């Protein structure tokens, strides 16, 4: 398994996963090229200064292959991203903080 050499690089990948968790409520299927495009856009818009090519990105994705399942089809590579499982794994391994779903923003109290 490939080990990320920098904590900052790891933070970039985890931040991207956290962004996916926030944007998508359920599992979803996405073309590898589209996912890579979303990742590079995310890096640029969040000022992460790391160069990733398709191969390096795919290797990093493989570290989470239980939650991000790669499938090769005649139309290319697709990833089935299991959002809830990925979120739970990242929380349990303390890579992200739990997201509170039950906050009432009018008075700031939890329901």
């Amino acid at each position: 398994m490939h080990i990320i050499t920098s904590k900052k690089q790891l933070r970039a990948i985890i931040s991207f996963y956290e962004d996916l968790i926030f944007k998508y409520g359920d599992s979803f299927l996405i073309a590898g090229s589209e996912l890579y495009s979303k990742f590079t856009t995310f890096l640029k818009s969040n000022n992460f200064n790391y160069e990733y090519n398709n191969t390096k990105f795919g290797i990093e994705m493989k570290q989470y292959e239980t939650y991000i399942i790669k499938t090769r089809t005649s139309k290319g590579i697709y990833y089935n991203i299991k959002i809830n499982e990925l979120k739970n794994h990242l929380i349990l391994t303390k890579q992200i903080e739990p997201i509170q779903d039950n906050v009432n923003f009018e008075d700031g109290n939890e329901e």
Side-chain angles (χ1 to χ4, degrees):
M1 182 184 311
H2 176 74
I3 304 297
I4 297 176
T5 56
S6 160
K7 287 183 180 181
K8 289 181 181 181
Q9 284 178 311
L10 177 61
R11 189 71 233 153
I13 295 280
I14 299 303
S15 293
F16 176 65
Y17 293 157
E18 196 169 23
D19 189 59
L20 290 178
I21 290 165
F22 181 74
K23 289 179 179 174
Y24 299 93
D26 286 323
S27 297
F28 67 98
L29 187 66
I30 187 169
S33 59
E34 185 179 346
L35 185 61
Y36 176 69
S37 177
K38 286 181 181 296
F39 177 66
T40 57
T41 299
F42 176 83
L43 289 179
K44 288 176 188 169
S45 65
N46 289 282
N47 298 318
F48 286 107
N49 296 317
Y50 299 107
E51 294 295 323
Y52 281 86
N53 59 29
N54 273 330
T55 302
K56 183 176 180 181
F57 178 65
I59 290 169
E60 302 297 357
M61 298 291 286
K62 192 171 184 173
Q63 293 185 59
Y64 296 90
E65 64 188 350
T66 303
Y67 319 103
I68 303 172
I69 301 167
K70 179 180 175 180
T71 305
R72 189 178 306 268
T73 71
S74 61
K75 294 182 180 182
I77 293 174
Y78 284 82
Y79 289 96
N80 180 7
I81 302 179
K82 298 178 175 181
I83 290 294
N84 289 325
E85 290 88 343
L86 179 62
K87 177 174 102 175
N88 290 336
H89 170 74
L90 294 175
I91 290 170
L92 286 172
T93 57
K94 300 186 186 299
Q95 295 179 68
I96 66 171
E97 294 293 321
I99 300 166
Q100 288 187 317
D101 295 328
N102 57 350
V103 175
N104 179 343
F105 289 103
E106 289 182 23
D107 61 11
N109 295 323
E110 292 184 25
E111 294 178 344

